[in-house]
Amino acid sequence: MNERAKITASHLSRQAIVYLRQSSAAQVEHNRESTDRQYALAAKARELGWPNDRIIVIDEDLGLSGSGFVARSGFARLTAEVALAHVGLVLGLEVSRLARNNADWHRLIDLGGLTDTLIGDADGIYHPALFNDRLLLGLKGTMSEAELHVLRARLNGGIRNKAARGELRRGLPVGFVWGEADGEVRFHPDEAIVTAVRNVFARFAETGSARRVWLWFRSEGLTFPLQMHQNAEIRWVEASYTAIHHVLTNPVYAGAYAYGKSRQETMLDAAGARTKRVRQLPRSEWQVLIPDHHPGFIDWQTYEANQDRIAKNTRPGPHKVGGAVREGSALLQSLASCGHCGRRLHTHYRGRSSAPGYHCPGKILVEGRGVYCLNIGGIQIDEAVTRAFIAALEPAKLAATLAAAERLEADRDTSLKQWRLGVERASYEASRAERRYRAVDPDNRLVARGLEREWEESLSALEAAKAELARRERERPRVLSQEERDRLLALGPDLATVWHAATTTPRDRKELLRALLEEVIIKVERDKAAAHLTLRWKGGALNEIDLALPRSRPATIRTDEDTIALVRRLAGHYPDAVIAGILNRQGRATAYGHRFEASRVGNLRRHWDIPCFEPKAEQAGGELLTISKAAVVLGVAPSTLHRWLNDGIIPGEQLTPGAPWRIRLTDDLIARFSETAGDGFVTMHEATRKLGVSRQTVLQRVKRGELEVVHVTNGRKKGIRIKVITRQSELFDQTS
């Protein structure tokens, strides 16, 4: 069939899309002929009958792979136009330009068959709705995907074979350069770079922590070399933790050649699109590992020991030893394990002095409650382990003292050497800037001004480096004299004095313990008040220690017995807040001398099993009421009742001094408070005049019951009324 016969008027009435794609930016930059051939397909569309206004060129996917892992906006736009039946012809230089994976390719074929869209390349024009054309398009897509697989497998096979011989040249970490021979790796010719890297391993051997190495670089103000890629210029920047950690964990620094340490994995993101991620592989899955491939800063055994030490500095897993030493005083942090269940013991600190202790994280059920299977104070445990450690170091004390004396003299030589090399580097940069300035044509002032500015900056950097070096040399500790060395040697064998010195930090003691001890197993027998320690030293030696523990004793601080008895008596009548006020008014205090509060009263009650206050239901008569409640019932002010209580007119009850007053609401008491006074009741003033006595005498007679009294609660003249008997009636009564 003539291919032009497949083009109908319906196809020509729609758009013709020319799709351009190249796999990488390097192909777009260097393979210009392929790009020009793809743009020339627009002329092919005009030759087939499409006018210029209906020819669309989609070229935004230039430099993007068609494997399906990269989002291609141009291909998505092409697929959408085909699905909407806006396209009559899709032109590409070859099928692989459209898609390198069958998922995208067959989706485009299906849409083209449904919407009557033609697909054309350099070999011809195809109609996806026709069986033969569809079969051919499917085979082309399969071959395109297979071609990509074969090319990739061929290239990867060559790369792996070369890497297996250690000859594949890839990016080297800072401190190394490639030599002239195949697979030859040399130290960097710059002595300052090599010295900086050696300082990292030297400080790690001393401190055992990547973070502490980084902090040492920061404290000394030292810079670290940085190279972004293999051919980039090395820059000296402030040391970062990532750079220090990379140096300590990269096997290249141990003289090993490694390839295939990571793997690309395909996964689906949240939107369902395929993405790639890089997963770091364990050492057992590396494709190539050649120890002793080239000279390294450390040997392979030291590298493995460093990795084990770094791994232990991280947060350990269950039942695993680990964790970097910290500032706490518990010496057996991450070394102690439970002698009952085998779990690693956790540390804790208690009391005002923050005394250390150890407990097992595993719990057992005792009487329905979870308790630790081991919980013990750490002071005696640490002292016993310290004694065993010092005794084990007895033969090596003199050698350790000599090493300490040498370290005291050369402690800062490492940092000073790096500063001296920095001065040399700054001097070279200044000389180079001067040579460049003097080599420029004096008439070319545009270039000369820039080079002069660089020369001045280099000279300023050189002066700053010299000043800093001079300052650090002035601060350098002086060399010990022979007499001072002799005194140090005399003090050195007394390791116990050094161990307990104020200048020896808990971190230093832990580092010393970790140098020899592998594990300390603690088993506690509470019924015997004893602990059994098993010290496992590095190398497999065991040492067992039996330790007597102090028996527990009752608390020496407790609340006074009379205070507890008073709280027990008041708890049935008053809530905790009221009881706290009563105790404070009586001048009582807690066991630690604090004022009572409602919460402290509640804690005291719960500790001594004292029931709390429960309000009782109201009773009909004779009920005990507080002053405020009784005042509401009687219709008077609380101050009136307080005054009557003070005057003794009405009785009241008080459980203890300072407790609230209560009065019993009887019928007789209610009768003393009425709206109006009866016959014979007069005011206090009239009563004193008729009786010829003072106010106090009248109140005393009322208190003794010799005179009747009522309180008028209604009208403008409220107050007490007293019923008196005249003198004449008293005289008649006496004569009769």
Side-chain angles (χ1 to χ4, degrees):
M1 178 184 293
N2 186 6
E3 293 181 348
R4 290 181 177 271
K6 299 177 183 179
I7 303 174
T8 64
S10 174
H11 295 138
L12 294 174
S13 64
R14 290 182 281 177
Q15 300 170 348
I17 293 182
V18 178
Y19 181 75
L20 283 71
R21 187 190 65 80
Q22 285 179 280
S23 298
S24 64
Q27 291 183 2
V28 177
E29 182 180 358
H30 301 293
N31 300 347
R32 299 298 305 170
E33 189 64 28
S34 175
T35 307
D36 295 339
R37 288 181 61 196
Q38 294 185 68
Y39 275 111
L41 292 175
K44 179 67 175 178
R46 287 192 295 270
E47 180 184 345
L48 294 175
W50 269 268
N52 289 332
D53 58 346
R54 284 201 291 272
I55 298 175
I56 299 176
V57 177
I58 298 179
D59 57 0
E60 54 258 42
D61 291 343
L62 286 173
L64 299 179
S65 172
S67 59
F69 296 102
V70 180
R72 293 183 293 160
S73 60
F75 186 79
R77 174 185 168 194
L78 168 65
T79 306
E81 293 294 332
V82 171
L84 294 173
H86 294 167
V87 183
L89 174 65
V90 177
L91 279 177
L93 193 60
E94 56 187 17
V95 171
S96 63
R97 302 297 179 186
L98 294 174
R100 282 283 193 178
N101 65 93
N102 279 330
D104 293 345
W105 175 237
H106 282 283
R107 186 181 301 111
L108 180 62
I109 294 176
D110 290 339
L111 292 175
L114 293 174
T115 59
D116 189 23
T117 302
L118 302 177
I119 298 177
D121 61 5
D123 297 329
I125 298 176
Y126 312 94
H127 198 305
L130 301 178
F131 173 76
N132 291 331
D133 289 358
R134 183 183 182 88
L135 177 62
L136 186 57
L137 288 173
L139 289 175
K140 282 196 169 190
T142 302
M143 293 303 296
S144 175
E145 190 176 46
E147 178 189 12
L148 182 64
H149 171 76
V150 171
L151 289 175
R152 185 181 293 113
R154 187 181 303 163
L155 292 174
N156 289 338
I159 290 174
R160 281 194 295 268
N161 288 339
K162 198 168 185 179
R165 300 192 303 270
E167 299 177 359
L168 179 64
R169 297 205 170 196
R170 307 172 72 238
L172 291 173
V174 62
F176 290 104
V177 293
W178 287 105
E180 297 179 357
D182 292 338
E184 182 184 7
V185 179
R186 297 178 177 178
F187 291 118
H188 200 283
D190 193 334
E191 183 183 1
I193 297 176
V194 175
T195 301
V197 176
R198 292 191 187 279
N199 286 341
V200 173
F201 291 103
R203 299 306 297 184
F204 183 80
E206 179 182 345
T207 61
S209 170
R211 182 176 180 272
R212 295 183 67 183
V213 175
W214 168 59
L215 293 176
W216 179 81
F217 270 84
R218 294 283 299 272
S219 63
E220 295 294 331
L222 301 178
T223 56
F224 198 77
L226 173 66
Q227 189 175 23
M228 301 302 296
H229 52 85
Q230 187 172 358
N231 298 323
E233 182 180 358
I234 291 181
R235 297 184 293 111
W236 289 85
V237 298
E238 182 180 356
S240 65
Y241 175 81
T242 303
I244 300 299
H245 189 271
H246 175 73
V247 171
L248 293 171
T249 57
N250 196 329
V252 178
Y253 289 100
Y257 182 91
Y259 174 78
K261 297 187 295 181
S262 60
R263 179 173 61 203
Q264 275 194 345
E265 295 181 345
T266 303
M267 56 181 300
L268 298 178
D269 59 10
R274 290 190 299 174
T275 58
K276 288 185 178 181
R277 69 174 182 181
V278 177
R279 187 170 72 89
Q280 299 297 325
L281 301 177
R283 189 190 305 174
S284 59
E285 298 182 17
W286 291 0
Q287 297 184 26
V288 178
L289 178 60
I290 307 175
D292 300 327
H293 174 266
H294 56 270
F297 290 89
I298 56 175
D299 55 25
W300 186 251
Q301 290 74 18
T302 305
Y303 170 78
E304 290 185 328
N306 290 349
Q307 303 317 299
D308 183 64
R309 197 168 187 180
I310 292 174
K312 290 181 178 180
N313 288 343
T314 59
R315 184 175 182 85
H319 318 318
K320 299 293 184 181
V321 64
V325 295
R326 295 177 174 84
E327 290 74 10
S329 59
L331 297 182
L332 302 184
Q333 170 225 327
S334 78
L335 290 180
S337 61
C338 180
H340 302 279
C341 64
R343 290 182 173 89
R344 287 289 168 183
L345 296 183
H346 290 190
T347 59
H348 60 262
Y349 299 91
R350 293 176 177 171
R352 297 181 179 179
S353 60
S354 297
Y358 305 99
H359 66 271
C360 179
K363 291 185 177 182
I364 57 176
L365 290 179
V366 177
E367 297 180 356
R369 298 180 61 186
V371 298
Y372 294 128
C373 62
L374 188 150
N375 191 349
I376 187 172
I379 296 179
Q380 287 187 313
I381 302 294
D382 291 350
E383 290 177 353
V385 174
T386 299
R387 289 193 296 268
F389 177 78
I390 293 176
L393 282 182
E394 189 72 29
K397 289 180 181 179
L398 184 58
T401 305
L402 292 174
E406 295 174 358
R407 176 62 60 85
L408 189 61
E409 294 178 359
D411 184 50
R412 302 195 63 180
D413 283 348
T414 301
S415 60
L416 287 178
K417 181 180 179 181
Q418 191 161 342
W419 278 105
R420 293 189 187 101
L421 294 176
V423 172
E424 293 182 15
R425 184 173 62 254
S427 178
Y428 166 73
E429 294 291 341
S431 300
R432 187 176 66 168
E434 181 183 2
R435 290 195 301 270
R436 293 175 61 186
Y437 172 73
R438 296 188 184 281
V440 72
D441 185 359
D443 294 334
N444 191 353
R445 299 306 303 167
L446 293 176
V447 177
R449 281 197 298 269
L451 295 177
E452 183 180 9
R453 182 173 60 255
E454 293 181 4
W455 184 19
E456 292 176 352
E457 292 175 355
S458 301
L459 290 175
S460 300
L462 175 60
E463 292 300 325
K466 288 181 178 180
E468 183 65 21
L469 176 60
R471 184 184 68 83
R472 291 181 177 271
E473 286 181 341
R474 288 193 302 270
E475 295 178 355
R476 179 183 180 182
R478 60 185 179 85
V479 178
L480 294 177
S481 63
Q482 185 62 37
E483 182 182 355
E484 291 171 332
R485 290 174 61 89
D486 294 341
R487 287 204 306 267
L488 182 60
L489 291 175
L491 175 64
D494 191 1
L495 183 58
T497 303
V498 178
W499 179 275
H500 296 291
T503 55
T504 305
T505 64
R507 181 189 288 271
D508 297 332
R509 299 186 182 100
K510 293 178 186 179
E511 290 285 1
L512 290 173
L513 286 178
R514 289 190 175 198
L516 293 182
L517 276 176
E518 190 74 29
E519 184 183 20
V520 177
I521 303 173
I522 303 176
K523 186 177 181 180
V524 178
E525 298 178 1
R526 286 296 179 187
D527 54 343
K528 299 179 180 179
H532 183 75
L533 309 181
T534 302
L535 278 64
R536 184 160 61 88
W537 304 87
K538 291 189 176 179
L542 297 177
N543 188 14
E544 296 186 356
I545 302 174
D546 290 321
L547 184 65
L549 300 177
R551 295 186 178 272
S552 60
R553 57 178 181 173
T556 58
I557 300 177
R558 57 183 297 175
T559 308
D560 295 337
E561 292 293 341
D562 56 344
T563 302
I564 298 174
L566 180 59
V567 171
R568 192 184 303 276
R569 189 152 51 95
L570 296 176
H573 303 280
Y574 303 110
D576 294 342
V578 177
I579 296 175
I582 295 172
L583 298 177
N584 291 331
R585 284 191 291 272
Q586 292 187 2
R588 301 178 184 269
T590 65
Y592 290 95
H594 303 302
R595 285 176 55 84
F596 276 100
E597 297 176 354
S599 59
R600 289 170 176 164
V601 174
N603 293 336
L604 187 64
R605 283 193 306 95
R606 286 185 288 272
H607 179 78
W608 293 101
D609 295 329
I610 301 174
C612 63
F613 168 72
E614 294 182 1
K616 299 180 181 179
E618 295 184 359
Q619 300 177 359
E623 180 185 5
L624 281 174
L625 297 179
T626 61
I627 297 298
S628 57
K629 291 183 178 180
V632 174
V633 175
L634 299 176
V636 295
S639 58
T640 301
L641 294 181
H642 277 293
R643 187 168 60 253
W644 281 37
L645 282 171
N646 294 333
D647 295 339
I649 299 177
I650 58 176
E653 299 181 10
Q654 193 178 27
L655 291 178
T656 185
W661 282 95
R662 297 183 301 175
I663 60 176
R664 189 171 298 277
L665 201 63
T666 61
D667 295 338
D668 180 63
L669 179 62
I670 296 174
R672 293 191 178 191
F673 296 86
S674 62
E675 295 182 356
T676 58
D679 297 336
F681 286 90
V682 296
T683 63
M684 175 62 74
H685 177 71
E686 293 178 355
T688 56
R689 184 173 57 80
K690 288 184 177 182
L691 296 176
V693 295
S694 65
R695 175 185 175 89
Q696 294 298 328
T697 303
V698 173
L699 292 177
Q700 288 293 330
R701 296 179 66 180
V702 170
K703 182 177 179 181
R704 292 195 299 267
E706 298 177 1
L707 298 176
E708 296 183 25
V709 62
V710 297
H711 190 281
V712 178
T713 61
N714 193 14
R716 295 181 60 184
K717 295 183 179 181
K718 297 180 181 179
I720 62 174
R721 300 291 187 269
I722 301 174
K723 190 173 185 180
V724 299
I725 302 175
T726 61
R727 293 179 179 270
Q728 186 177 4
S729 60
E730 289 179 356
L731 179 61
F732 291 152
D733 290 341
Q734 291 177 0
T735 56
S736 64

